Amino acid sequence: MTDLVLNETRDGIAILTLNRPEKLNALNYALIDRLLAVLDDIEVDDGVRAVVLTGAGERAFSAGGDIHEFSASVALGVDVAMRDFVVRGQRLTARLEAFRKPVIAAVNGIAFGGGCEITEAVPLAIASERALFAKPEINLAMLPTFGGTQRLPRLAGRKRALELLLTGDWFPPPRALELGLVNQVVPHADLMPAAIGLAKRILRHSDLAIASILTAVARGLNQSIAEGLLVEAEQFARMAPTADLREGLDAWLMRREPRYGGSWTHIARPDEARRASLALDQGATTKRPFMLGWKRQK
């Protein structure tokens, strides 16, 4: 049986491919369940630090939900349709949105309906010049149900999102870029190198810091600024005693590249950290001052 989600790891980056090209990678129930299971495995795999998600074939990222399967669920009643389609789809987009490793969508073609909602949910997205986006659910006399009525207005603004939701009109990659749906648009041949390159730029940094930023943004975005600041402070409090933060500070003070361990294990003794910091600070007084963000030249 063909695997519905292809999974290949390169240099710590899992490349996941929605694999129903003959159906334009439509999201049937089995594919969604398989993708959720793969994400569960990746989350606890220390050898995988980032995810690039794309679609198989030359035509589609994902054309959205599998309408034949969904129609059969609707025929069995609202409870079945809610359980099989709505709850399952919302679980997937929520999982992608809150994932503690960076997920980058490489949108290689059609991203309609659920495919567009995946793009809205992931933290980062790059679109091929061949990509095409749409919110076509209104053509079926229904609203988007994988989070599209909530995330798109937050990304694009209420009026611009409503125009797309209420008309069902498709829109090209430059419009998706303008709306904040994707981070950049690249030539089709450059799509995967661009997505992998973005992942590598992120993975130069501490996995713990990456996870903290992703969590703070995902949890704080839809709260008040005061509540969001509490989330930010909470994530800092979790990072503060870790060896990664100590290494980041020490590397900056010593003007060297950091070597992160990526473990939530705390440093053994805060007084030792203070002494180390003082010693480094005293040693640094004889050196030329430098700015935060300095990088040693290769």
Side-chain angles (χ1 to χ4, degrees):
M1 179 176 159
T2 301
D3 197 337
L4 294 170
V5 179
L6 304 179
N7 184 359
E8 176 190 359
T9 300
R10 304 180 197 167
D11 299 323
I13 302 167
I15 300 171
L16 306 184
T17 306
L18 307 177
N19 191 33
R20 296 185 75 206
E22 73 286 354
K23 299 292 184 181
L24 299 181
N25 302 317
L27 303 168
N28 65 357
Y29 302 156
L31 189 155
I32 293 174
D33 292 346
R34 179 59 184 153
L35 182 53
L36 285 166
V38 171
L39 290 171
D40 286 345
D41 291 341
I42 286 172
E43 187 173 48
V44 296
D45 185 348
D46 292 339
V48 176
R49 302 176 60 209
V51 177
V52 172
L53 179 63
T54 193
E58 293 297 319
R59 299 178 60 195
F61 175 69
S62 173
D66 188 307
I67 302 304
H68 295 287
E69 198 172 49
F70 171 58
S71 178
S73 294
V74 170
L76 295 174
V78 63
D79 290 341
V80 173
M82 284 289 295
R83 180 198 66 205
D84 290 352
F85 189 73
V86 178
V87 173
R88 181 182 264 109
Q90 289 186 356
R91 186 185 304 128
L92 173 61
T93 52
R95 187 82 169 98
L96 290 166
E97 184 174 50
F99 206 61
R100 285 178 63 82
K101 297 179 181 183
V103 180
I104 302 167
V107 185
N108 57 306
I110 291 170
F112 287 2
C116 193
E117 286 167 303
I118 286 175
T119 309
E120 295 159 15
V122 295
L124 299 160
I126 298 177
S128 158
E129 61 191 355
R130 298 182 189 174
L132 201 61
F133 302 86
K135 312 293 295 182
E137 289 88 350
I138 197 167
N139 295 319
L140 302 174
M142 61 177 284
L143 73 165
T145 57
F146 290 8
T149 64
Q150 302 305 304
R151 291 190 180 93
L152 188 60
R154 287 167 168 80
L155 286 168
R158 174 171 171 261
K159 287 181 169 59
R160 295 195 294 182
L162 278 170
E163 179 183 352
L164 300 171
L165 291 163
L166 294 173
T167 64
D169 292 346
W170 62 265
F171 53 102
R175 180 66 168 156
L177 181 64
E178 177 193 347
L179 295 172
L181 188 58
V182 301
N183 295 86
Q184 70 183 109
V185 179
V186 298
H188 187 72
D190 296 340
L191 177 62
M192 292 306 294
I196 292 169
L198 176 57
K200 288 181 176 179
R201 284 163 50 206
I202 294 168
L203 296 183
R204 296 177 300 176
H205 305 294
S206 159
D207 289 346
L208 309 189
I210 292 166
S212 296
I213 290 168
L214 289 168
T215 298
V217 172
R219 287 177 50 194
L221 188 62
N222 300 322
Q223 301 186 41
S224 70
I225 186 66
E227 292 167 326
L229 289 171
L230 290 175
V231 173
E232 183 176 272
E234 173 191 283
Q235 289 302 307
F236 170 76
R238 191 177 184 204
M239 278 292 304
T242 64
D244 269 17
L245 179 56
R246 185 69 260 157
E247 170 63 13
L249 292 170
D250 290 351
W252 187 84
L253 290 167
M254 296 178 71
R255 303 183 68 173
R256 62 169 172 80
E257 294 290 339
R259 298 179 292 273
Y260 296 117
S263 170
W264 287 104
T265 302
H266 291 182
I267 54 178
R269 292 170 58 86
D271 57 330
E272 292 177 2
R274 283 193 292 271
R275 285 198 298 272
S277 181
L278 283 171
L280 287 166
D281 188 47
Q282 291 167 359
T285 57
T286 61
K287 297 179 179 178
R288 177 173 53 85
F290 56 99
M291 300 297 292
L292 183 62
W294 171 90
K295 293 288 186 181
R296 179 171 58 83
Q297 297 299 312
K298 299 290 187 181

